[in-house]
Amino acid sequence: MLGASQPAPATARMARSGRSEWQTSCAILTSKVVSQEQSESLPVPPVSGGFDHVPAVNGHHSAAQMNLVPIEKSDGNPLVPQHRHHQQKPLSVTDLSPAPMHGSNLRVAYQGVPGAYSEAAAGKAYPNCQAVPCDQFEVAFQAVELWIADRAVLPVENSLGGSIHRNYDLLLRHRLHIVGEVQLPVHHCLLALPGVRKEFLTRVISHPQGLAQCEHTLTKLGLNVAREAVDDTAGAAEFIAANNLRDTAAIASARAAEIYGLEILEDGIQDDASNVTRFVMLAREPIIPRTDRPFKTSIVFAHEKGTSVLYKVLSAFAFRDISLTKIESRPNHNRPIRVVDDANVGTAKHFEYMFYVDFEASMAETRAQNALAEVQEFTSFLRVLGSYPMDMTPWSPSSSTSCTSSS
């Protein structure tokens, strides 16, 4: 008879099988990262979207299905394949280890290249962190899900440009939790190669929101030039420097000018000085809500059929004196159109929406719990995206970040 402390043979085989699946998945991730390094002389690019095409591993296709959780050895250390490279890169399988709770070892994913405003937001959210650049928003989500990064810091709205709809959709698609927020003042500069004069410019490039936020100022400067959109502000500066474009300027941060060797032709060119972007901090696990400081809670729901349903949902918060700070509607991709047939008036087509709401209350408060219990009566779907501390720091422009970029 087996002793109580000894695993059964079947259980042992299952443990070995699970460990084998995890190691195989890690090896595939390693090959995806290594394949991006074409030569030792080239700089390491930001994290690419290669994780969208991870091949099937033992029947698993998605990151959530692979469930890449580090397995601990008997000595308590995480079992991680020892795969080393002499060249520094943003993502490595050797980084697949439990996330540190505190200190400066946090790996924080952001969208863009070094010098981006998202990098500055990551530095404000997690001082002295290791910033992990990603070329797409979704890659930043996947980096956290696959244990390659510990946190992600991504923009969700701007005071001038409005909501970043892509990230609202990704919040619903992925299972990460909002654990905090950062509000970052945006200070745009007009950058060009050394010696270039404004009157010789024929083109200005930047992120679409960067162009929109400086539209009137560019006109006042007499820059009636072509304006082209690129993936991010710092990427525009990098593109000019890499291609030695002497007829093109970029709208980006002063830090981007420092990194890529550009000159600042005009400083503070945003149309409104109160230009602030709100970022959310994402993690694999939620934080425990508290009541000793101001908290904000974010939810998403789809309402049931009926009359005045949205009004009834919002009344649940108004009745308990809970302030709403944000409400955003996005198409319900699972059911974009609802068709209603009426013999008297004919057929009507209604667009179906998901509603995102932020409200000023902690889920540790009874009033917030009661409000969501009432909301659930009128919704077909309800999910709490996170309950987290509000950013109460004063707005003050900052030209530097305290993150160390891994690229």
Side-chain angles (χ1 to χ4, degrees):
M1 178 181 293
L2 294 174
S5 61
Q6 295 178 340
T11 303
R13 286 194 299 271
M14 291 175 63
R16 287 193 298 269
S17 175
R19 177 172 299 181
S20 174
E21 290 184 12
W22 177 79
Q23 288 176 311
T24 304
S25 302
C26 288
I28 290 176
L29 288 178
T30 304
S31 66
K32 289 292 180 182
V33 174
V34 174
S35 64
Q36 296 178 24
E37 300 180 355
Q38 300 298 327
S39 66
E40 299 178 4
S41 60
L42 294 177
V44 180
V47 182
S48 70
F51 299 111
D52 291 331
H53 311 289
V54 176
V57 180
N58 294 320
H60 301 302
H61 291 270
S62 66
Q65 290 174 322
M66 285 193 289
N67 193 23
L68 298 182
V69 179
I71 303 174
E72 293 189 355
K73 298 187 296 186
S74 59
D75 58 1
N77 295 322
L79 179 61
V80 180
Q82 299 299 315
H83 189 88
R84 302 272 183 190
H85 296 284
H86 63 277
Q87 187 177 9
Q88 190 180 23
K89 57 185 180 297
L91 298 182
S92 169
V93 72
T94 57
D95 293 331
L96 294 173
S97 58
M101 297 300 293
H102 302 287
S104 60
N105 294 322
L106 278 175
R107 298 155 296 187
V108 181
Y110 70 94
Q111 188 274 329
V113 298
Y117 293 107
S118 292
E119 184 196 31
K124 180 180 179 182
Y126 300 104
N128 302 315
C129 67
Q130 179 186 357
V132 180
C134 303
D135 68 347
Q136 302 173 32
F137 288 129
E138 187 158 19
V139 176
F141 277 85
Q142 294 170 334
V144 179
E145 290 176 329
L146 297 176
W147 292 75
I148 297 171
D150 306 306
R151 302 286 189 273
V153 175
L154 298 171
V156 290
E157 59 181 327
N158 177 265
S159 57
L160 299 181
S163 299
I164 290 88
H165 295 139
R166 175 62 174 163
N167 283 335
Y168 277 98
D169 294 339
L170 291 174
L171 282 171
L172 183 61
R173 180 183 303 176
H174 295 267
R175 301 299 299 181
L176 299 182
H177 303 269
I178 303 177
V179 296
E181 67 173 4
V182 169
Q183 295 180 347
L184 184 77
V186 176
H187 189 82
H188 288 308
C189 301
L190 187 66
L191 313 179
L193 289 171
V196 172
R197 298 167 58 181
K198 287 185 293 184
E199 51 266 31
F200 296 144
L201 296 176
T202 62
R203 182 174 59 160
V204 173
I205 61 176
S206 187
H207 186 274
Q209 290 225 3
L211 292 172
Q213 293 163 15
C214 303
E215 181 179 2
H216 298 303
T217 303
L218 292 177
T219 302
K220 290 178 181 178
L221 292 173
L223 294 177
N224 297 319
V225 297
R227 302 169 188 181
E228 297 181 10
V230 294
D231 289 339
D232 61 273
T233 55
E238 181 187 41
F239 181 76
I240 290 175
N243 294 277
N244 195 32
L245 302 177
R246 304 195 65 81
D247 63 343
T248 306
I251 297 175
S253 65
R255 172 169 162 77
E258 178 183 352
I259 293 175
Y260 302 109
L262 302 183
E263 285 185 352
I264 299 177
L265 300 182
E266 292 288 341
D267 191 19
I269 63 172
Q270 61 274 7
D271 294 337
D272 193 324
S274 302
N275 185 7
V276 178
T277 298
R278 174 173 170 252
F279 296 78
V280 292
M281 301 136 67
L282 304 174
R284 290 180 291 273
E285 299 294 335
I287 62 173
I288 299 175
R290 298 160 55 179
T291 58
D292 59 346
R293 60 172 298 179
F295 258 63
K296 182 182 290 185
T297 300
S298 298
I299 64 172
V300 57
F301 65 87
H303 63 68
E304 288 279 16
K305 300 177 184 178
T307 59
S308 305
V309 174
L310 184 58
Y311 170 79
K312 295 173 183 177
V313 169
L314 300 181
S315 296
F317 298 100
F319 177 74
R320 295 169 177 85
D321 293 325
I322 298 177
S323 298
L324 303 185
T325 60
K326 172 80 173 180
I327 180 168
E328 179 79 23
S329 62
R330 295 292 297 150
N332 187 340
H333 297 293
N334 293 327
R335 188 186 180 188
I337 295 178
R338 174 167 52 92
V339 179
V340 179
D341 291 319
D342 191 307
N344 296 321
V345 298
T347 301
K349 296 181 177 64
H350 300 278
F351 293 126
E352 292 289 325
Y353 291 95
M354 305 293 293
F355 292 91
Y356 295 80
V357 171
D358 294 343
F359 59 88
E360 292 182 348
S362 169
M363 283 306 298
E365 300 179 55
T366 302
R367 60 175 183 154
Q369 298 169 12
N370 292 339
L372 290 193
E374 183 176 341
V375 167
Q376 198 164 17
E377 298 177 6
F378 306 107
T379 59
S380 58
F381 168 81
L382 173 63
R383 175 179 159 195
V384 177
L385 299 172
S387 189
Y388 48 92
M390 296 173 58
D391 183 5
M392 306 298 291
T393 58
W395 292 347
S396 59
S398 175
S399 60
S400 63
T401 176
S402 53
C403 261
T404 301
S405 178
S406 61
S407 64

